[in-house]
Every structure is written in C-alpha cells, then in structure tokens.
Amino acid sequence: MRNLNEETITQAVLARNNDMKDARLKEVMTSLIQHLHAFARETRLTEEEWAAGIQFLTEVGQACTPTRQEFILLSDTLGLSTLVTAQNHRKPQGCTEATVFGPFYVDDAPDYALGADVGNGMAGEPCFVSGQVRGIGGEIVPGAKLEVWQADSEGFYDVQRDGGPAQGRGTLLADREGRFNFQSIVAESYPIPHDGPVGRMLDAMGRHPWRPAHLHFMVSAPGYETLVTHVFREGCEYLDSDAVFGVRSSLIADWVEHAPGRTPNGGESATPFYTLDFDFILNPVAKEKVA
C-alpha cells in the first residue's frame, strides 16, 4: 500500500494485522493502534516530541535491573497499575481491598515461624503485627500463606541495599485459627526511586515522589483469590497524595505506640514500641474457576 497520509495510515496498519490468529491479541493491538494514532492526532505530536518520548522510554528500559523495575514505577505513577488492579480485582463488600503490587516484591523470601522477627535487623522502631485471615462468610482460613515486605526507616527496601541478608520481608503461615503474628519495624513514608527517568518525569509534571507509610502483604490460601495489598499507617501526610495512587480508606490502620515494657511476644523493650492489628478477609474463588 502506497501514498498513505495522516487520514489513511490507521486503517492501513489495522488491515495489515487482519491475519492475526490470536483473537485477544488482535483485540488488544487494534485498540492500542487506534488510541496511539488518535493521541498523535489530538495533540498534533511533533517529530521532536515523539523522538523525546522514544528516548524517555529507552531510558526507562535501561534503568531496569534485577532489583529495580522502572517500567513498574512508570505504570504506577501514571495510575495505570491501580486501574488494572481495580478492574481485575472487584470484590464483594467486606473483602479486603487489593492495591498495587509495587516493584520490590521478591520471590522465595525467607520462611519464618509465627512470632519471629521478620525485620531481621532492619533499621527502625520495633513493631509487633498480628491479625487473622478469614473468608467473606466469616469462616476461619487455617494455614493461610502470608508474604510480607516493607522498607526500612530510611525508606529503602533490602534489595536496594548492596548485598546482605533479606530484611523486612518473609513468608509465614497462619495457624489453625487463621491467626498470625510477627515482629518487624514501624512503617515510614518514603519516596519511590526518583533518580531516573520516572523521577525526571514527576519533576516536569510538578509532582512529588512520596508514598505514605505502609506494609505490603500477599495473602493466599486454597479456594480463595490471592490478595495483594498494603496496610497504610493512619496519620501519614501522604495518604491523600500517594505517588502511585494506591491508598484505600479501608486499608488505613493505627500503629499504636506503647511505652517501654512488656511486649506482645512476652519480651521486654527498653524503648517505646508499636503494635498493629489487622485482619484480612479473602474472597472465595468462583466455582467455575476452581480447577
């Protein structure tokens, strides 16, 4: 096909893709092409602007490493991660809400017994976390698997540090009553990595890179949908301006401060410590989805 112009190019590209055998891929690519072309027309995109956009995406890719996922940061800061999460995790009233996965999850985190110190020497004030996993009908979910990860008091996850043991992350199994407890540190607010292309984008848009204090959880159990969520710290100044749009009111909880003394695990603390109690309510897998 020759002599294409700005009015005919879109249909020409779509026609070229008519032989795609994967119906879902064809649906997605057709919509993507139509929206990209409409964007270029609507904004009257210049060659210089498109070259700058290509350079930006190139730099986003180049910034990705095994411990840093700049494309997830880009998706998160544009609100796309939250949109995809919301439309794929609609739940009945009463279920714990899902939110963004984030770029700092690590497979095969260390296993811990209930009550153990998941912080494993991570810098921060001590915090004792407890709760129960139940189903939407109020039923106990025994043996649920909880994966937890968080940043230290300086706003860094262990994978952002050079080497060293896993800290602030681990895997635990709830007991027969669905209850869990572990020790870690108090969650603090922190900026997402902003020394790369996504940070420059935020600067250009007049936006800050800060996330409110939170603790990540992934909770799974047979017969229930896997839940990926955060618990956010009440009173944090960034709850209404989270850089990645992840906050849900139902996920905000109190970190309760206690004077030095006896801790929930039966020990003694010479310094103030905190407790967090939060229950997770899982949604059963639809019967037609059960293998």
Side-chain angles (χ1 to χ4, degrees):
M1 188 174 292
R2 304 179 184 181
N3 303 321
L4 296 170
N5 58 38
E6 62 184 284
E7 303 302 328
T8 60
I9 180 62
T10 303
Q11 289 306 313
V13 176
L14 295 178
R16 190 73 58 86
N17 298 331
N18 272 341
D19 294 333
M20 264 191 282
K21 293 181 171 53
D22 186 318
R24 176 59 176 166
L25 177 61
K26 185 174 183 179
E27 178 186 9
V28 170
M29 291 305 299
T30 296
S31 182
L32 176 64
I33 290 164
Q34 289 173 327
H35 281 81
L36 282 174
H37 285 215
F39 161 74
R41 290 190 179 95
E42 179 183 339
T43 61
R44 303 302 300 172
L45 196 64
T46 69
E47 290 176 304
E48 292 79 10
E49 289 167 340
W50 184 225
I54 290 173
Q55 180 60 32
F56 170 73
L57 292 175
T58 299
E59 292 174 4
V60 169
Q62 291 169 339
C64 294
T65 72
T67 59
R68 175 167 176 163
Q69 231 303 346
E70 196 80 0
F71 268 111
I72 291 180
L73 288 178
L74 178 60
S75 174
D76 288 353
T77 54
L78 294 179
L80 183 58
S81 297
T82 287
L83 172 58
V84 173
T85 296
Q87 67 185 11
N88 281 277
H89 294 278
R90 300 184 182 97
K91 299 178 186 297
Q93 185 78 20
C95 282
T96 303
E97 292 186 88
T99 191
V100 293
F101 196 63
F104 295 114
Y105 172 79
V106 173
D107 286 317
D108 301 320
D111 293 322
Y112 286 95
L114 293 178
D117 184 1
V118 173
N120 194 27
M122 176 176 268
E125 297 179 274
C127 180
F128 297 85
V129 182
S130 61
Q132 187 180 35
V133 183
R134 302 191 304 275
I136 187 63
E139 71 277 13
I140 291 167
V141 181
K145 179 181 178 182
L146 296 102
E147 296 177 72
V148 58
W149 63 105
Q150 72 173 106
D152 63 22
S153 60
E154 296 179 343
F156 293 101
Y157 289 80
D158 55 358
V159 294
Q160 294 176 280
R161 303 287 191 183
D162 292 328
Q167 293 183 309
R169 71 175 68 244
T171 301
L172 309 100
L173 296 179
D175 66 16
R176 289 179 297 179
E177 298 297 318
R179 299 190 181 279
F180 63 91
N181 65 92
F182 61 91
Q183 182 179 344
S184 188
I185 65 165
V186 175
E188 302 285 358
S189 56
Y190 65 86
I192 62 170
H194 57 104
D195 57 343
V198 171
R200 295 196 300 274
M201 179 192 75
L202 292 178
D203 285 342
M205 296 169 71
R207 289 175 49 188
H208 71 70
W210 285 84
R211 296 220 63 203
H214 62 274
L215 187 57
H216 292 264
F217 284 91
M218 181 157 63
V219 186
S220 56
Y224 294 87
E225 295 177 359
T226 295
L227 170 68
V228 176
T229 194
H230 304 4
V231 181
F232 294 91
R233 186 177 173 186
E234 179 67 88
C236 182
E237 63 180 305
Y238 299 109
L239 287 172
D240 293 315
S241 61
D242 181 9
V244 307
F245 307 97
V247 178
R248 303 289 176 272
S249 295
S250 66
L251 301 178
I252 300 172
D254 286 321
W255 265 251
V256 180
E257 184 177 8
H258 302 266
R262 195 165 184 79
T263 58
N265 64 356
E268 291 285 335
S269 177
T271 63
F273 63 91
Y274 290 76
T275 56
L276 167 67
D277 188 73
F278 195 88
D279 294 344
F280 295 100
I281 310 301
L282 303 185
N283 192 34
V285 174
K287 290 182 179 180
E288 62 268 20
K289 294 181 181 179
V290 176

